[in-house]
Amino acid sequence: MKSRILFVFMLLSGGAAFAQTADPVIMTVNGKPVHRSEFEYSYNKNNADGVIDKKTVAEYVDLFVNYKLKVQAALDAKLDTLSSFKNEFATYRNQQIRPVFVTDEAIEREALKVYEDTKKNIGSKGLVMPAHILLLLKQKATQEEKDKAKLRIDSIYNALKAGADFSEMARKFSQDPGSAAKGGVLPWVAPGQTLKEFEDVAFSLQKDEMSKPFLSPAGYHIILMKDRKQLEPFEMLKGDIIRFIEVRGAKERIADVAIDSIAKRQNISSAQLMEKYADEMSAKDPELKNLIREYYEGLLLYEISNRTVWDKAAKDEAALEAFYKANKKKYYWDEPRYKGMAYHVKDQKDVKAVKDCVKDLAFDKWAEKLRTTFNNDSVVRIRVEKGIFKKGDNAFIDKMVFKKDTTVTSLKDYPIDAVYGKLLKKKPQDYTDVRGLVTADYQDQLEKQWVADLRKRYSVVVDKEVLDTVNNHK
């Protein structure tokens, strides 16, 4: 019965593909059509320039089918109904949609607002570009320190009045390193941007006028006014202001305001509005449609794979151990390993203390026990390198265990070196010694079993004629 239904479906899907020449159905998965454009998007993206393991179209079909089968399994498991999935998907989708709500006109309005606010704050004082020489004073400077700084700033001032070059004096004597390297010159300063004492003097000066030495909370200054100006017209500054507000997240605020406003006018929620816009934009933009679908299915694939393969394998200790025992020879080594540690201590008595500390513990418990016993306060008594080492992995292990003629340099402040552990000549003690490899292999086995089950559970029909037209159609 099933084969007859499948045969009829093949005929129907073939007819549909013939009728829909613009984007024919290339395959059906569990009765759901997959159009050529979707397959091409996935194939081209995963076989672009720079991809090392490129596939032919025929080779890619199985990978793509397995992908679609896993997505179908996730849908059947109703993972798309989870709040966590909905929220993460909506966040990504909305990132693709939000820019449409940020118009050039809205950005310019925001820029104009920033300009008008700035102009109001500046007022009639305008902007100044001062150069200064600063001698720093601590907040709680003694009178002697103050007198010494005053004597020195007066000496600099007298030299300037006698014709010394301000830039050279700033480079030589100013203790403001940022401006000193530039001859003392500061960026344009607006009212309210700096210390009141500095601002009062700076804005009282005309261009090329120099102040007398004065004191601020930072220390003693001398200012030379390099230039003054009023704020330029908006059109001259618009580009800079737009770049400034974009860095400060103005586009996000503009989008939020627009979305809320449109949603209220249409009497729907913001979430409903975003979904509506996504549907409308995807219908007009195939690239966007593919991108959103890819993320939707990618999230489902990750969740179902994690539950069925990755997380399941990583946490199933009994299954990992059984898999290891059934495949022991695969994990034999071609050279010995040392399962243990090289450690470094300050006091000879700690050599034995370290060994006694861990000798009756499981290997994976050593690190925590050593930390709490020897390094649990501000005094670090030992340094440890723990692991499963082969020749060449650790100089101390090489010299003290494998007896290689290796030069080692003891750690500063930890001159006594020692090792503790066990030499494993051919094979691990148990699966935990090669856990990463065992987990990866067991995951691979689960993956293959899962795909085989999905192939049995869901029907897949590929239209060979349409497949032959991939990237080769008018």
PDB file of all heavy atoms in Angstrom, residues 50 84 96 300 366:
ATOM      1  N   GLY A  50      37.000  28.477  -1.439  1.00  0.00           N
ATOM      2  CA  GLY A  50      37.623  28.424  -0.123  1.00  0.00           C
ATOM      3  C   GLY A  50      37.232  27.197   0.678  1.00  0.00           C
ATOM      4  O   GLY A  50      37.888  26.849   1.664  1.00  0.00           O
ATOM      5  N   SER A  84      12.145  28.931  24.265  1.00  0.00           N
ATOM      6  CA  SER A  84      13.554  29.258  24.018  1.00  0.00           C
ATOM      7  C   SER A  84      13.838  29.322  22.522  1.00  0.00           C
ATOM      8  O   SER A  84      14.561  30.206  22.047  1.00  0.00           O
ATOM      9  CB  SER A  84      14.467  28.225  24.682  1.00  0.00           C
ATOM     10  OG  SER A  84      14.151  26.908  24.219  1.00  0.00           O
ATOM     11  N   GLN A  96      17.362  40.890  10.889  1.00  0.00           N
ATOM     12  CA  GLN A  96      17.353  41.039   9.435  1.00  0.00           C
ATOM     13  C   GLN A  96      16.277  42.026   8.976  1.00  0.00           C
ATOM     14  O   GLN A  96      16.401  42.639   7.914  1.00  0.00           O
ATOM     15  CB  GLN A  96      17.101  39.677   8.751  1.00  0.00           C
ATOM     16  CG  GLN A  96      17.906  38.516   9.303  1.00  0.00           C
ATOM     17  CD  GLN A  96      19.386  38.818   9.388  1.00  0.00           C
ATOM     18  OE1 GLN A  96      19.993  39.281   8.418  1.00  0.00           O
ATOM     19  NE2 GLN A  96      19.985  38.551  10.547  1.00  0.00           N
ATOM     20  N   LEU A 300      16.647  24.361  14.900  1.00  0.00           N
ATOM     21  CA  LEU A 300      15.993  23.072  15.131  1.00  0.00           C
ATOM     22  C   LEU A 300      17.004  21.937  15.048  1.00  0.00           C
ATOM     23  O   LEU A 300      16.991  21.007  15.869  1.00  0.00           O
ATOM     24  CB  LEU A 300      14.877  22.857  14.102  1.00  0.00           C
ATOM     25  CG  LEU A 300      13.636  23.745  14.248  1.00  0.00           C
ATOM     26  CD1 LEU A 300      12.690  23.518  13.071  1.00  0.00           C
ATOM     27  CD2 LEU A 300      12.912  23.452  15.562  1.00  0.00           C
ATOM     28  N   TRP A 366      42.330  14.909  41.180  1.00  0.00           N
ATOM     29  CA  TRP A 366      43.605  15.435  41.660  1.00  0.00           C
ATOM     30  C   TRP A 366      43.643  16.956  41.702  1.00  0.00           C
ATOM     31  O   TRP A 366      44.049  17.548  42.705  1.00  0.00           O
ATOM     32  CB  TRP A 366      44.736  14.947  40.752  1.00  0.00           C
ATOM     33  CG  TRP A 366      45.111  13.515  40.919  1.00  0.00           C
ATOM     34  CD1 TRP A 366      44.398  12.533  41.540  1.00  0.00           C
ATOM     35  CD2 TRP A 366      46.303  12.901  40.424  1.00  0.00           C
ATOM     36  NE1 TRP A 366      45.055  11.328  41.457  1.00  0.00           N
ATOM     37  CE2 TRP A 366      46.231  11.529  40.782  1.00  0.00           C
ATOM     38  CE3 TRP A 366      47.396  13.350  39.709  1.00  0.00           C
ATOM     39  CZ2 TRP A 366      47.246  10.623  40.446  1.00  0.00           C
ATOM     40  CZ3 TRP A 366      48.411  12.456  39.380  1.00  0.00           C
ATOM     41  CH2 TRP A 366      48.337  11.100  39.750  1.00  0.00           C
TER      42      TRP A 366
END
